[in-house]
Amino acid sequence: MTIRALRGNPPAPQVSQSEPLPLTTRMRRNRKTDWSRRMVRENTLTVDDLIWPLFLIDSSQARTPVSTMPGVDRLSIDEAVREAERAARLGIPALAPFPYVDPALRDPVGSEAENAHNLMCRAVRAIKAAVPEIGLITDAALDPYTSHGHDGVMSEDGRILNDPTVAILCRQALALAEAGADCIAPSDMMDGRIAAIRETLDNAGLTDTQIMSYAAKYASAFYGPFRDAIGTKATLIGDKRTYQMDPANTDEAIREVEIDIAEGADMVMVKPGLPYLDVCHRVKATFGLPTFAYQVSGEYAMIEMAARAGAIDGERAMLESLMCFKRAGCDGVLTYFAPRVAEILTARR
Ligand code: PBG
């Protein structure tokens, strides 16, 4: 056949009407209709699965945008209270606030973390007074408060010191719990901090304050936008590889979780989220305790920026990514998409 003949209008392809294939099982039958797809669906995403991380700033401006996280703003305390009211209306169970601390208040040992009247403690009191029914999960770690941006105390030769840091974390956790935080979430990856914080809380009579441990937290490139949001990107000296986990490891994550459970963690977290679903799955399968994932700032930015650039359908990608956490066995997800997802799920009901 000549090239010209090939380019001419080809005959319409013949759909064979002949004998059906001899298949006893046709997987597509259950996928044929919406009602059937809904009926066989194995996992569901609900508002109860969402924990909303938000950023606080001491500012007269209600909101200041985070440039690397389009759609996410740092909030004044008043604005955070309004968002907490909105979250409660939407049925979001809990918020996870993080502070942008005035650089003038940062020092090498993160002293401001222990201040019972710091931005976080004031926000916790204000939110609890206005919206007592919403859960407040507050981070214990020193990075927003240290001049070098590390989660712990740094020695003169640049090492991050474990045991002195744990002592400060205990005082930070106590200040937050006394301000009204429901759950302390240590994200620092120091050894022994869960036991020490549990003991500190118990000794203060705060036996009902929960602990959600960032048990398997990896030294990840996906935290970039978060460090913009809390203002540690420019100041961070070096990296966090001497305390956060190596992305190559999973057995080590199991050991971390096992130790934190033994020390008294009520719930555990894996972080980041989507690239670490194997870890989520293995943690849930091994221990069966409440297991959460943090869909971190870089994951949010990837989806949101790709959507804004027209490369993907943002709403579908957001919902798909969150469903995948459920499929992997997570009980819930910390996600910056929380209010948007809650609005969509509420409208669908
Ligand atoms: C630090 C902390 C980090 C995040 C939560 N707590 C960043 C880090 O370890 O540098 C990251 C969250 C995100 O990227 O969304 N204690």
Side-chain angles (χ1 to χ4, degrees), residues 295-307:
Q295 182 178 50
V296 299
S297 56
E299 300 176 67
Y300 171 86
M302 286 197 299
I303 293 175
E304 191 57 26
M305 286 176 169

Side-chain angles (χ1 to χ4, degrees), residues 114-132:
E114 303 180 33
N115 177 358
H117 301 284
N118 66 21
L119 175 58
M120 278 288 286
C121 292
R122 279 182 283 129
V124 166
R125 281 192 208 92
I127 293 171
K128 272 287 151 184
V131 199

Side-chain angles (χ1 to χ4, degrees), residues 151-215:
D151 295 28
V153 177
M154 199 159 85
S155 70
E156 288 198 346
D157 59 352
R159 285 174 302 123
I160 302 305
L161 303 176
N162 194 87
D163 301 9
T165 300
V166 170
I168 302 172
L169 293 171
C170 287
R171 297 197 289 270
Q172 178 186 29
L174 186 59
L176 290 164
E178 281 177 339
D182 301 282
C183 179
I184 304 296
S187 72
D188 54 284
M189 289 297 279
M190 297 299 123
D191 290 319
R193 88 276 207 222
I194 300 298
I197 290 172
R198 184 70 273 160
E199 193 189 344
T200 303
L201 294 173
D202 289 353
N203 288 343
L206 295 161
T207 50
D208 286 340
T209 305
Q210 290 155 278
I211 296 180
M212 176 190 282
S213 174
Y214 285 70

Side-chain angles (χ1 to χ4, degrees), residues 55 98 139 141 143 151 187-188 214 217 222-224 226-227 240 244 271 294-298 336:
F55 299 111
F98 294 91
D139 220 60
D143 55 314
D151 295 28
S187 72
D188 54 284
Y214 285 70
K217 175 170 175 180
F222 292 101
Y223 306 149
F226 175 95
R227 292 180 190 169
K240 302 193 178 182
Q244 299 180 347
K271 176 184 175 186
Y294 197 145
Q295 182 178 50
V296 299
S297 56
Y336 301 96

Side-chain angles (χ1 to χ4, degrees), residues 44-51 93 292 326 330-335:
T44 45
L45 178 68
T46 78
V47 182
D48 296 335
D49 300 317
L50 305 171
I51 298 169
F292 294 82
K326 296 300 301 288
C330 293
D331 294 281
V333 190
L334 288 91
T335 174

Side-chain angles (χ1 to χ4, degrees), residues 7 16 21 27 40 42 65 71 91 94 99 126 132 135 147 159 167 180-181 185 200-201 203 236 284 323 325:
R7 284 205 184 127
S16 164
L21 292 172
M27 295 298 285
V40 302
E42 298 171 41
S147 40
R159 285 174 302 123
T200 303
L201 294 173
N203 288 343
L236 181 64
K284 184 66 182 180
M323 181 63 88
F325 287 104

